[in-house]
Amino acid sequence: MQTHVITITRQFGSRGRDIGKLVAKMLDMPLYDRNDFEKEAQLRDDSLHSLVCFSENGITGYQKMAYPLGIGSKLKQDRMYQLQSQLVLERAEQESCVIIGRCADYLLRERDNVIRCYIFAPYQARIVNSIQALGYTAAEPQRIIEEVDKARAEYYRIHTGCEVNNTRYRDLFLNSNLLGVQGSAELIVDAAKRKFGR
């Protein structure tokens, strides 16, 4: 069975997750993200549970995005990445789906049945989106954007050898501020229909 996969890598505050969710809904595909892969990885290796006990470390809400592989030893973080990568490859082999983050664009770089998307937005739009989504004051999103950008860039660079905004493993770059969530999702869905004949 030929599966079709759409990967979404995104800047914090670009509404990339919302776009990915809408794409999955419009194409009637399951969506997988960090939370899904973390849970499955823990089921395969119970020792990884301590990595994602953020509340015990005083980390709540969106702060956890500054820790892409949880909080713990490098050995455990490497194991988490290894298992999550394996799960990404399994999902892509088993079913058509949308995958958010987890270096999925890089992991699936050899496959023809993938559309790799990078969602970004102008800095000011990211601040506004963060304020609206999280209810923060104007100063807080700036700090969070900087922290999450740095963490995601390092995570991506370590595991792929590339910058997070590279063009090598991407098919579509979308400024979500141009068309909004609905329009951006429709554009990706249109690309999927043209490529996959869905």
Side-chain angles (χ1 to χ4, degrees):
M1 177 184 78
Q2 172 76 318
T3 61
H4 306 125
V5 180
I6 297 170
T7 69
I8 306 278
T9 306
R10 76 275 181 225
Q11 288 183 325
F12 181 79
S14 67
R15 303 205 60 194
R17 176 177 299 280
D18 295 333
I19 292 166
K21 286 181 179 178
L22 186 54
V23 168
K25 181 178 179 181
M26 293 170 74
L27 290 174
D28 194 26
M29 290 179 169
L31 178 138
Y32 298 103
D33 63 10
R34 173 183 179 166
N35 293 333
D36 299 308
F37 291 125
E38 277 182 350
K39 288 175 186 173
E40 289 194 55
Q42 288 177 72
L43 289 174
R44 295 190 182 191
D45 185 342
D46 189 59
S47 73
L48 299 178
H49 177 72
S50 61
L51 281 180
V52 295
C53 294
F54 291 102
S55 59
E56 294 176 9
N57 293 288
I59 305 294
T60 59
Y62 282 77
Q63 292 175 315
K64 76 177 198 174
M65 289 187 187
Y67 305 93
L69 288 169
I71 299 174
S73 71
K74 185 178 184 309
L75 189 64
K76 283 189 178 181
Q77 289 181 332
D78 288 347
R79 176 66 175 153
M80 176 67 87
Y81 179 77
Q82 177 190 30
L83 283 175
Q84 289 187 8
S85 299
Q86 184 180 330
L87 288 163
V88 166
L89 295 172
E90 287 176 10
R91 288 289 173 271
E93 188 68 33
Q94 294 167 0
E95 62 184 332
S96 295
C97 58
V98 176
I99 300 176
I100 295 180
R102 305 296 90 185
C103 299
D105 54 352
Y106 173 80
L107 293 169
L108 303 174
R109 65 193 180 280
E110 303 288 332
R111 297 174 181 252
D112 293 328
N113 63 329
V114 181
I115 295 177
R116 301 157 194 87
C117 305
Y118 183 78
I119 313 267
F120 66 98
Y123 188 75
Q124 193 59 40
R126 295 167 67 196
I127 291 174
V128 171
N129 290 339
S130 299
I131 291 170
Q132 291 175 345
L134 309 175
Y136 288 154
T137 63
E140 290 173 301
Q142 294 178 42
R143 176 181 54 79
I144 293 171
I145 285 170
E146 289 173 13
E147 288 178 7
V148 175
D149 279 355
K150 181 179 177 182
R152 285 183 175 171
E154 183 178 357
Y155 167 80
Y156 194 89
R157 189 183 309 113
I158 287 171
H159 295 104
T160 70
C162 294
E163 297 303 313
V164 70
N165 60 352
N166 79 86
T167 59
R168 186 173 181 184
Y169 304 117
R170 305 284 159 68
D171 302 305
L172 290 176
F173 272 71
L174 292 177
N175 175 355
S176 60
N177 200 48
L178 180 67
L179 299 174
V181 172
Q182 181 74 32
S184 298
E186 288 173 358
L187 194 152
I188 295 171
V189 167
D190 182 61
K193 290 178 176 177
R194 290 171 182 267
K195 180 171 175 63
F196 304 140
R198 288 183 63 93

